[in-house]
Amino acid sequence: MSGRVRIINLEEGFPTRDQTYQKLEVALARARKDGIAVLKLIHGYGSSGAGGVLRFAVRGFLRQRKERGELSVFVNGESFSSFDARSKELFAKVPELVLDSDLGRGNKGITLVLL
């Protein structure tokens, strides 16, 4: 992956929702400062059949930031494909994302963010 994509594992350390929000704020600020174009967030998907709290929390957080104009677009992992319009926006900014291992795999445990 290029230096224009940064991967952030939000699951690491089993954080609370509030800790995850704090980690996201820091990650977004640092990415902007460092000139990162895309963040790939790993938040998990609630594989035990229950949960998925971080997935919903992260996507709600991103939705609010997008509405405020603080980020351009975000793509749920399950939508990340060569055919998705929002994914194409990511490819236009960072063409090497077409080689990402999660492309077209329907991975509910990630979300990609175009800054």
Side-chain angles (χ1 to χ4, degrees):
M1 202 61 62
S2 81
R4 296 184 305 164
V5 177
R6 181 171 289 162
I7 299 171
I8 307 292
N9 186 349
L10 297 171
E11 289 184 301
E12 189 173 25
F14 304 103
T16 64
R17 182 179 298 148
D18 288 337
Q19 289 169 329
T20 300
Y21 292 151
Q22 291 171 352
K23 193 172 183 179
L24 265 172
E25 291 283 5
V26 169
L28 288 168
R30 187 170 291 143
R32 284 187 183 98
K33 179 179 172 270
D34 294 346
I36 300 297
V38 174
L39 284 179
K40 183 176 182 179
L41 305 174
I42 301 169
H43 46 66
Y45 61 92
S47 61
S48 64
V53 171
L54 288 186
R55 175 170 55 129
F56 295 111
V58 166
R59 291 177 179 177
F61 175 97
L62 296 172
R63 196 170 298 106
Q64 290 175 344
R65 297 308 185 271
K66 184 177 181 334
E67 289 170 1
R68 288 193 266 187
E70 296 176 17
L71 57 92
S72 179
V73 69
F74 67 95
V75 180
N76 300 337
E78 55 270 34
S79 299
F80 184 48
S81 78
S82 301
F83 306 104
D84 176 67
R86 291 171 300 148
S87 297
K88 289 178 182 181
E89 289 184 56
L90 296 177
F91 304 144
K93 186 80 169 184
V94 183
E96 55 271 26
L97 279 172
V98 299
L99 302 174
D100 188 281
S101 62
D102 285 305
L103 182 64
R105 296 190 68 200
N107 185 348
K108 291 189 240 180
I110 65 164
T111 301
L112 295 103
V113 181
L114 179 62
L115 302 175

